[in-house]
Amino acid sequence: MPITYREVIELALPSRSGLERVAVDAAASVARLMGFSDDRIEDLKTAVEEACINAIEHGNQQNANVKVLVELIADDSKLQVDIHDQGKGIRGTVEKPDIDAKIARKQSARGWGLFLIQSLMDEVEFDWNPETGNVTRMVIHLKQ
Amino acid sequence: MQRECKISVHEDREFVTIDVQGDLTAIAEEAMGAAYQKACDYSPEKVLLKFDGRSRINSAGIALVINLVIESQERGCKVFITGVSRHFRKIFELVGLTKYTSIVGSEEEVTAS
């Protein structure tokens, strides 16, 4: 029977631009301890950075008195990162970024955050409820 | 919390280099805009965006590169990129920027192209 474990690490970040790097470094440290490859750790760092920036800027409107809660949940097969903010989450459809449209000035040059998160993580979900607020949940699996 | 981003511009006979030291994020927007305008003063046919090998980029940084590509295309100027990590290159491929820029291993490749 395989040994199983579960560790939960929590961070509470003031919603101030730049502090997303604290969550990025913490997630990378946990992933390194779990044995993820350097390439996967780079994927994780980018996804955590983008999700935290969204939480700080859009979710909590850069109000430093409101915290972004980051949960790093590690077990023997995966790392789950939950990023909570007090925003309303994603409403309606989000326009898929298209490089050709952006180069042709038909789309804003920005808007790559969700695309990067979904491209780089194994599982992504977004959830919102009026009591707990908005959560972005990302999972990467350890390949055996 | 981020690596400071220092951007400078150098002219070569064949092209203009925009040298980026540090992470390319939203805080680099003003510096990148100023650097590109300075680069345009030389009316280059080629611009080389040179990173320091350890630079990271996020979605806001990608937007800065896209804006640079748009303006360069409108001026008939080709954009080359060098000094990027494997992950940086992966991000560029994911978003499609490799369709509109050339990632090169050295400045000599820019001259030869």
Side-chain angles (χ1 to χ4, degrees):
Chain A
M1 187 179 197
I3 298 169
T4 59
Y5 73 95
R6 188 172 189 270
E7 294 278 8
V8 180
I9 297 162
E10 295 182 345
L11 303 169
L13 306 174
S15 297
R16 186 179 299 124
S17 292
L19 292 181
E20 68 276 2
R21 296 298 306 178
V22 176
V24 169
D25 289 346
S29 293
V30 172
R32 202 169 290 117
L33 287 171
M34 294 175 70
F36 280 97
S37 68
D38 289 345
D39 286 346
R40 290 300 277 155
I41 292 171
E42 288 302 316
D43 292 346
L44 177 69
K45 287 164 70 176
T46 293
V48 171
E49 179 174 1
E50 295 299 335
C52 285
I53 289 171
N54 285 344
I56 290 168
E57 293 184 357
H58 304 301
N60 293 347
Q61 305 291 311
Q62 304 207 56
N63 180 347
N65 295 318
V66 180
K67 299 288 196 288
V68 171
L69 178 65
V70 180
E71 292 180 283
L72 305 167
I73 305 161
D75 65 30
D76 52 4
S77 66
K78 67 183 183 298
L79 174 60
Q80 177 177 318
V81 185
D82 290 357
I83 296 173
H84 302 260
D85 64 60
Q86 296 307 307
K88 299 292 186 189
I90 299 168
R91 294 293 172 95
T93 54
V94 177
E95 186 176 41
K96 187 179 177 188
D98 180 317
I99 189 65
D100 297 329
K102 290 177 187 296
I103 295 293
R105 296 187 187 270
K106 292 176 181 171
Q107 272 185 7
S108 161
R110 300 194 69 156
W112 291 103
L114 293 179
F115 171 84
L116 290 174
I117 292 168
Q118 291 173 318
S119 299
L120 296 171
M121 296 290 92
D122 295 330
E123 298 173 33
V124 180
E125 65 179 61
F126 306 98
D127 195 15
W128 177 84
N129 79 55
E131 290 179 5
T132 58
N134 181 49
V135 58
T136 300
R137 179 165 294 120
M138 308 178 292
V139 176
I140 51 171
H141 293 278
L142 272 168
K143 303 290 188 286
Q144 299 299 324
Chain B
M1 289 293 174
Q2 294 166 345
R3 287 177 67 217
E4 188 180 1
C5 186
K6 292 182 179 175
I7 303 179
S8 55
V9 178
H10 314 282
E11 189 201 16
D12 193 298
R13 277 175 300 179
E14 302 285 340
F15 54 90
V16 173
T17 300
I18 298 176
D19 200 340
V20 180
Q21 301 282 323
D23 296 338
L24 194 58
T25 64
I27 60 171
E29 183 172 4
E30 196 172 317
M32 179 61 95
Y36 185 69
Q37 289 311 311
K38 187 174 177 186
C40 289
D41 289 345
Y42 298 107
S43 301
E45 293 181 359
K46 302 173 190 172
V47 168
L48 174 63
L49 201 49
K50 183 181 179 184
F51 293 92
D52 66 11
R54 295 191 305 129
S55 300
R56 290 183 54 77
I57 192 167
N58 65 13
S59 57
I62 291 167
L64 296 180
V65 176
I66 290 172
N67 284 330
L68 186 149
V69 170
I70 292 169
E71 293 194 32
S72 296
Q73 282 204 339
E74 290 171 355
R75 293 169 183 269
C77 176
K78 290 183 181 175
V79 178
F80 296 81
I81 295 172
T82 195
V84 295
S85 66
R86 195 162 61 189
H87 182 67
F88 201 129
R89 181 186 289 258
K90 177 179 178 176
I91 296 292
F92 269 35
E93 287 170 354
L94 271 175
V95 304
L97 262 168
T98 44
K99 279 176 70 176
Y100 294 97
T101 63
S102 299
I103 297 179
V104 295
S106 68
E107 297 180 25
E108 289 70 29
E109 289 181 50
V110 182
T111 304
S113 71

